[in-house]
Amino acid sequence: MKIASFEAIALKVPEDDPLANMPEEAGRTRPAVALRLRTDSGIEGIGVTLYGKMTRTLHAAVEELAALTVGEDPMRIEAIVAKLRANSGDAGPGGIFTLALSAIDTALWDIKGKALDQPLWKLLGGHRDKVPTYASGSLRRGLTDKQAQQAAETLLKKGFREMKTQMALPGEPTPAEEVRRVKVIRDVIGPDIKLMCDINQRWRPEQAIDIGHHVEEAGVGLFWLEDVTTADDYQGLARVTAALKTPIAGGEYVWGIAPFRQMIQAHSVDIVMIDLARVGGVTQWMKVAGMAEAFNLPVVSHVMPEMLLHMVAACPNGLTVEYMPWMVALYQETPTIENGQLVLPTKPGLGLTFDEKAIKSFRA
């Protein structure tokens, strides 16, 4: 079996909020690139990559790298990754190359699963067939208290047992105001729901320690604080992690596998979050998961739950899947949620099929 052809498609996907109908801006779209890799045996693998407004540049990079895979054996994924790196001047670990590589690597794993008639999560280890998931993207920092309460109530009604909100509110609020807002969510959802909180790198380490202590003293009970300061300030993150009882999560902004070694060795985080596009695809995602396991650390995913549930479910240290449904509209059907858990698909590969009407509608 050889790779025979490919198609890369630039997209503008509607940036709505299907979970609680609290979009940040009505009518806004999110750029992405979808990839189809086709083999001479009729198998098609798919991948998706995204981030930023450089869609034309990313689209061109996916096309140029995908062209290098034609004629290659799709089952030899590491060999293809090595070829792509060598032909790109050993680019990486960050930037457009890694984003493009991610789509190709993911499509190759989709082909492999289909060729072997196995779902991806089984190929990667098959640790469990259901995995916890948490609602993300609805409890945003820009909402009013009333909107945040309504969104939280909607998520509860939909059966979510885990959800994420945000601090680092607009306007440089006091620590007391930060705590008050997160308590607004906790008061609605009750004490038994796991509540995470994302800072999106907006605090300095000393701010994170100060506000984190206030949150702990208020008894909010956060499951984790995420990306509390600049992602590559491994020492600053380690200061926060050592100072707080609340677990610190981070890693979504980290590119490739080597920086994760630095982050883990510096004891920067308690929970390792791995982004599929920035790490470079399924192959690299699982390598970071294995590295984290060696340090007795759990791993969690970032966006694209329809793909990443496979990886989180495959490894024994997978903790939970971020359910941020940015791209679910691209597919005919996506994994179901039962009692707060994603059910792993039984179809081979990713178990996903592009919705042709949606692809046509979202073309950039």
Side-chain angles (χ1 to χ4, degrees):
M1 182 172 59
K2 304 292 183 184
I3 298 172
S5 64
F6 66 90
E7 181 185 14
I9 310 162
L11 303 169
K12 290 184 178 179
V13 183
E15 194 175 298
D16 54 11
D17 174 26
L19 294 183
N21 194 28
M22 291 289 176
E24 191 165 355
E25 181 181 328
R28 195 162 73 178
T29 59
R30 187 177 304 281
V33 177
L35 172 67
R36 307 177 198 262
L37 281 184
R38 302 185 179 101
T39 71
D40 55 8
S41 63
I43 296 175
E44 178 179 281
I46 65 171
V48 174
T49 187
L50 65 158
Y51 291 112
K53 300 296 183 182
M54 299 173 67
T55 310
R56 287 183 294 179
T57 304
L58 181 55
H59 179 245
V62 172
E63 287 191 318
E64 290 177 343
L65 291 181
L68 294 172
T69 71
V70 174
E72 298 292 336
D73 179 352
M75 306 294 276
R76 299 185 60 196
I77 298 174
E78 287 281 13
I80 292 175
V81 170
K83 178 181 179 179
L84 299 184
R85 289 193 188 283
N87 281 275
S88 65
D90 292 317
I96 292 294
F97 169 80
T98 300
L99 297 179
L101 171 66
S102 173
I104 293 168
D105 184 272
T106 302
L108 290 170
W109 277 101
D110 192 27
I111 290 172
K112 188 170 187 175
K114 291 171 179 174
L116 298 175
D117 196 30
Q118 291 292 320
L120 181 56
W121 61 275
K122 285 188 177 181
L123 284 184
L124 297 175
H127 184 67
R128 52 187 164 178
D129 58 9
K130 292 182 181 178
V131 65
T133 189
Y134 70 91
S136 183
S138 296
L139 303 176
R140 296 178 292 97
R141 59 177 55 87
L143 300 179
T144 65
D145 285 0
K146 183 176 181 180
Q147 287 174 322
Q149 290 171 333
Q150 290 174 342
E153 290 170 353
T154 299
L155 297 177
L156 285 176
K157 290 176 183 178
K158 291 189 174 183
F160 283 101
R161 307 299 298 167
E162 305 176 5
M163 57 189 70
K164 187 162 71 182
T165 186
Q166 294 175 321
M167 282 196 285
L169 303 175
E172 298 184 7
T174 63
E177 180 62 15
E178 296 273 23
V179 174
R180 188 201 65 78
R181 173 51 183 273
V182 78
K183 285 186 68 177
V184 164
I185 306 296
R186 175 57 80 190
D187 290 344
V188 169
I189 65 178
D192 299 327
I193 300 298
K194 292 179 180 177
L195 181 63
M196 300 80 162
C197 187
D198 198 349
I199 311 306
N200 299 109
Q201 306 185 93
R202 298 185 180 207
W203 287 340
R204 299 183 307 279
E206 60 271 23
Q207 279 183 290
I209 293 170
D210 179 38
I211 299 174
H213 278 313
H214 279 83
V215 172
E216 290 175 346
E217 291 166 359
V220 175
L222 291 179
F223 192 63
W224 75 56
L225 267 172
E226 179 181 328
D227 291 315
V228 293
T229 195
T230 307
D232 59 0
D233 181 5
Y234 304 123
Q235 291 74 28
L237 282 166
R239 285 167 50 204
V240 179
T241 298
L244 298 180
K245 296 178 182 178
T246 304
I248 302 300
E252 73 174 74
Y253 297 101
V254 175
W255 296 79
I257 63 174
F260 278 99
R261 183 191 70 182
Q262 306 299 330
M263 187 177 71
I264 291 171
Q265 286 185 328
H267 302 286
S268 300
V269 297
D270 301 295
I271 299 167
V272 179
M273 178 172 284
I274 318 168
D275 179 271
L276 184 63
R278 290 193 182 111
V279 80
V282 176
T283 304
Q284 313 306 320
W285 202 101
M286 293 301 295
K287 289 178 181 179
V288 175
M291 189 190 317
E293 184 184 4
F295 284 82
N296 197 28
L297 296 176
V299 295
V300 295
S301 62
H302 177 242
V303 305
M304 291 200 276
E306 65 281 357
M307 293 183 175
L308 281 162
L309 83 165
H310 288 275
M311 283 74 95
V312 176
C315 56
N317 57 328
L319 182 61
T320 187
V321 174
E322 180 176 34
Y323 198 83
M324 186 176 277
W326 285 353
M327 297 291 127
V328 294
L330 296 179
Y331 309 101
Q332 291 181 9
E333 59 180 346
T334 53
T336 59
I337 301 175
E338 295 179 359
N339 299 318
Q341 293 197 319
L342 279 161
V343 179
L344 274 295
T346 57
K347 293 179 180 179
L350 291 168
L352 298 170
T353 303
F354 283 139
D355 183 325
E356 298 302 332
K357 291 183 179 179
I359 294 292
K360 183 179 180 180
S361 175
F362 301 156
R363 277 184 180 268

